[in-house]
Structure formats: C-alpha cells, structure tokens
Amino acid sequence: MNVRKIVTLVEETLTEGGRPVEPNARVAVVAAVIENPWRGQGFVEDLTAGIDEAASRVGEVLAPRVVKALGGTVEAYGKAAIVGLDGEIEHGSALIHTLKFGDHFRNAANATTLLPAVEKRGPAGVTFDIPLKHVTDATIRSHHQSIEVRLADAPHPGEIVIALAAASQGRPQQRLAPLSTEQ
C-alpha cells in the first residue's frame, strides 16, 4: 500500500440555532490518499489480491488516528472511498466494504453496527459527504448526520481517498422524536 498523504480535519460546533452547544459537538475525519492497487491493470475480474494488499492496512492506519483526533468517545461513525478518474468505483468499494477494513474502526470505537458509506469517482478536489450513524444502533435518529470533505489535490487519477469520520455526539440541538414513536 503506497500512501501519498494523510489528512486530518476536526470540526467543532459551538453554537447551533443561536444557542450554545454543550458540550461542543466534534466531528473528526482522517483520510489517506493511496495509490489504487489495481492501477494500470485494466479490468480486473478478481479484486482479492488488492483487497489483501491494502484494505486491512489502511483500516489499521486510519482507525486509531480518527479516534485520537476526535478526542473523546465515538458515538457516530462513517467511511468513504473516492476513486480517481482512472479507477472504478468498485475499487473503492472493494477496500472499504470488507471486515478486513471496517473491523479496525468498529473495534477502536467499540461499535457493533455497519459503517455507513459513500463511494464515488471524481477528480482532484471533488467534494464528498461522509454519512454518519450511531455506533451501536443505526435507528437512533439524533446521530444521522454527515460531514462534507474536500482535499484540494486528491485523488489523482490513479489514487483512492479512503476516509473515516467520527462524531462525539448526535446532531447539535437535535429534536426529532425516536423512530419508535412512528411505528
């Protein structure tokens, strides 16, 4: 796995709707810009070798960094794979939709649910939103949120941006009733 760079972003919301957010709502994102393991190979029928080469390693690099950047307990989380223009969306999906990748974050966050995800192909500087959901119950509405990310120089055509996002709480000032009230 060839990593060109790692980017860490932390967003802290202090007020929402004209009211203080207490405690402040934190969301952290850590993204690795990696060389696409299938770069220059044409259509690859079996993606196993690239998955084995990179998925676990990139999960192992990102998971502890995003938890550390958040600086507290992870209550919501998500992931992203943004493929450069010379790759396939399936290349990004292959890396993040495997337990070899996701279990690193689930274990670091003491989580049990599947990680919500976004995958897309785009040029350097493409904007993408990482969806987040509660780490143990995806039906908890207060934790359904997203964070917008943009890396000015990534992904290059032969790269993939792999990112993890973690939130310290649900949406600031959330007021929706629990899903169970509508069932």
Side-chain angles (χ1 to χ4, degrees):
M1 178 183 76
N2 295 317
V3 178
R4 179 165 63 88
K5 71 179 188 175
I6 295 174
V7 177
T8 302
L9 310 166
V10 178
E11 177 180 285
E12 191 165 1
T13 302
L14 309 177
T15 64
E16 180 72 22
R19 295 183 177 194
V21 175
E22 296 176 4
N24 298 340
R26 291 176 58 89
V27 181
V29 176
V30 177
V33 180
I34 68 169
E35 182 179 339
N36 185 332
W38 300 281
R39 179 182 186 175
Q41 297 178 35
F43 187 87
V44 176
E45 190 69 40
D46 182 355
L47 301 176
T48 304
I51 293 168
D52 290 345
E53 171 194 334
S56 181
R57 289 172 52 200
V58 74
E60 188 175 52
V61 167
L62 295 178
R65 287 176 186 244
V66 74
V67 172
K68 181 178 179 183
L70 185 65
T73 301
V74 178
E75 287 192 16
Y77 67 164
K79 62 187 174 183
I82 312 304
V83 180
L85 294 176
D86 286 350
E88 301 173 36
I89 293 172
E90 189 69 2
H91 295 162
S93 295
L95 295 177
I96 67 169
H97 290 301
T98 173
L99 296 177
K100 293 175 182 181
F101 174 78
D103 277 351
H104 290 285
F105 199 10
R106 265 185 290 283
N107 293 336
N110 296 312
T112 57
T113 58
L114 293 175
L115 281 147
V118 63
E119 305 94 339
K120 69 189 275 186
R121 180 178 35 237
V126 66
T127 300
F128 56 98
D129 290 351
I130 303 176
L132 293 98
K133 293 196 177 183
H134 195 276
V135 296
T136 60
D137 184 349
T139 68
I140 296 176
R141 289 180 175 176
S142 60
H143 288 60
H144 292 198
Q145 55 191 312
S146 62
I147 184 162
E148 184 176 84
V149 181
R150 178 182 176 277
L151 306 181
D153 70 339
H156 290 172
E159 294 178 333
I160 303 175
V161 174
I162 304 292
L164 294 178
S168 62
Q169 62 191 56
R171 294 181 313 277
Q173 315 297 16
Q174 76 82 26
R175 299 179 291 285
L176 296 180
L179 180 62
S180 60
T181 64
E182 293 184 26
Q183 296 176 339

